[in-house]
Each structure stands twice: as structure tokens, then as C-alpha cells.
Amino acid sequence: MAQSFDQIDYQIMLLLHQNARIPASEIARDLNANERTIRKRIDRLIRMGVFRLTAIINPEAFGYIMAVDIFLDVDSRLEDSIILELQGMPEISYIALGQGTRDVSIECRFKNNEEMHEFMRKKLPSIQGVQVKGFSLVPHVIRNIDEWMPKEEDFIASKSYDEREL
């Protein structure tokens, strides 16, 4: 169920989205709010699972210049064990179940064509119950999940949280 958020939550999220290292004191100054209130709101938003503060690693900084979306057909009887095995593969940066009962989508990172070829032709097919259906090279990511924000209208202007609700 969707939670209710107000404009202060929205402004806090915008500022943290632009710079996750911004001090609560600076957010409080920018929003003309009490620093303690801002800290409590940030803690509440984190506790609610609205966002998490984390470092986002740039794969290219480590030489992983190739991104590939790979589409798998997975034996539904083995899905749980296959997912566990996929989660342990460092090449994989993203795993999602698709619309169909056997569809799994993964995004992988590689340093070169040889690594990609080895992974797609040998490593994935060696997993019992996995078949590579197709793939798409991703030469340029235009917008990534770390850039997504909810619409401003998702923040209800009329509701405001007081200190007791934090």
C-alpha cells in the first residue's frame, strides 16, 4: 500500500538525490526547518524503505565497459536454485523475473567480448534448467534506476507530519 508523503519529504528526497552526502543541517537551512526534524524525517524515510543511502559503483571505473541484457528461459521447477546461483555471479548487476512463468532477465557487465562470449556460451548454459533466449548489447545507458524519482504529485501537499508521527 502506498504511503503518504508531503512536500518536506519531497524536498528532502530531492536534495539527497542530488547529493547523498549533504548534511542534515544544510537541508534544514535550505528548507527553513529544524535540523532535528530533518534528521528524524530522513530516519523515518529510510526505516519505511522509501530509499537507502548507498554508494553506486561505476563499472567503467573498473574497466567493465560492456553492458549486456540477457533474456533467459528458466525451468520453473528449478527457479529458486537458479536464482540463487545467478545471484552469486559477479558478472550480473541486475536480475528480474519476466512476465512469463519461465522468463528471467539479467544485466551483465564485462571488460571485453571474450568475457561476454565465455559467460553466454559456457557459464550460463552450464546451469541446469537455464537456456539463453536472446541478448541485447547496451552501448549507452541513458537513464538508470539511480536517477529515478517519483512524480511531485505523489507528495500530498495538505498532509504534514508533526514530531509525534516521526
Side-chain angles (χ1 to χ4, degrees):
M1 178 179 215
Q3 301 287 327
S4 294
F5 304 100
D6 64 13
Q7 286 295 309
I8 294 172
D9 293 326
Y10 179 68
Q11 294 301 319
I12 290 169
M13 289 172 57
L14 277 177
L15 290 167
L16 285 170
H17 189 68
Q18 293 166 3
N19 176 8
R21 297 181 67 186
I22 188 173
S25 59
E26 192 173 326
I27 294 173
R29 267 193 312 277
D30 288 352
L31 302 182
N32 197 26
N34 181 289
E35 182 179 344
R36 184 170 169 240
T37 299
I38 297 302
R39 287 185 194 282
K40 285 185 176 186
R41 280 181 176 252
I42 291 170
D43 290 343
R44 175 181 60 86
L45 292 166
I46 291 170
R47 222 178 24 257
M48 291 171 67
V50 173
F51 61 82
R52 66 184 194 280
L53 300 175
T54 185
I56 298 169
I57 309 303
N58 178 1
E60 291 180 12
F62 293 89
Y64 292 90
I65 57 171
M66 295 186 68
V68 183
D69 289 334
I70 304 173
F71 310 103
L72 306 175
D73 184 45
V74 173
D75 184 333
S76 56
R77 296 169 295 171
L78 303 171
E79 183 179 282
D80 291 341
S81 64
I82 291 169
I83 297 293
L84 278 174
E85 189 165 350
L86 293 174
Q87 287 176 321
M89 295 180 173
E91 299 90 348
I92 299 175
S93 59
Y94 169 88
I95 304 172
L97 296 175
Q99 178 69 21
T101 57
R102 299 172 57 104
D103 297 335
V104 173
S105 174
I106 61 176
E107 179 190 74
C108 300
R109 296 293 182 142
F110 303 101
K111 291 184 175 182
N112 55 49
N113 283 332
E114 292 78 31
E115 284 184 3
M116 180 186 67
H117 185 300
E118 182 77 17
F119 184 81
M120 287 181 35
R121 296 286 187 201
K122 294 183 180 171
K123 194 167 186 178
L124 285 175
S126 73
I127 302 170
Q128 182 182 358
V130 171
Q131 185 176 38
V132 176
K133 289 173 48 174
F135 69 95
S136 178
L137 292 175
V138 181
H140 180 69
V141 175
I142 297 167
R143 182 174 176 180
N144 214 335
I145 185 65
D146 61 316
E147 299 174 78
W148 183 85
M149 279 287 292
K151 300 175 194 170
E152 187 171 2
E153 55 262 25
D154 290 335
F155 298 85
I156 302 167
S158 61
K159 178 157 169 79
S160 183
Y161 298 96
D162 63 23
E163 294 295 321
R164 292 182 305 270
E165 293 181 89
L166 299 172

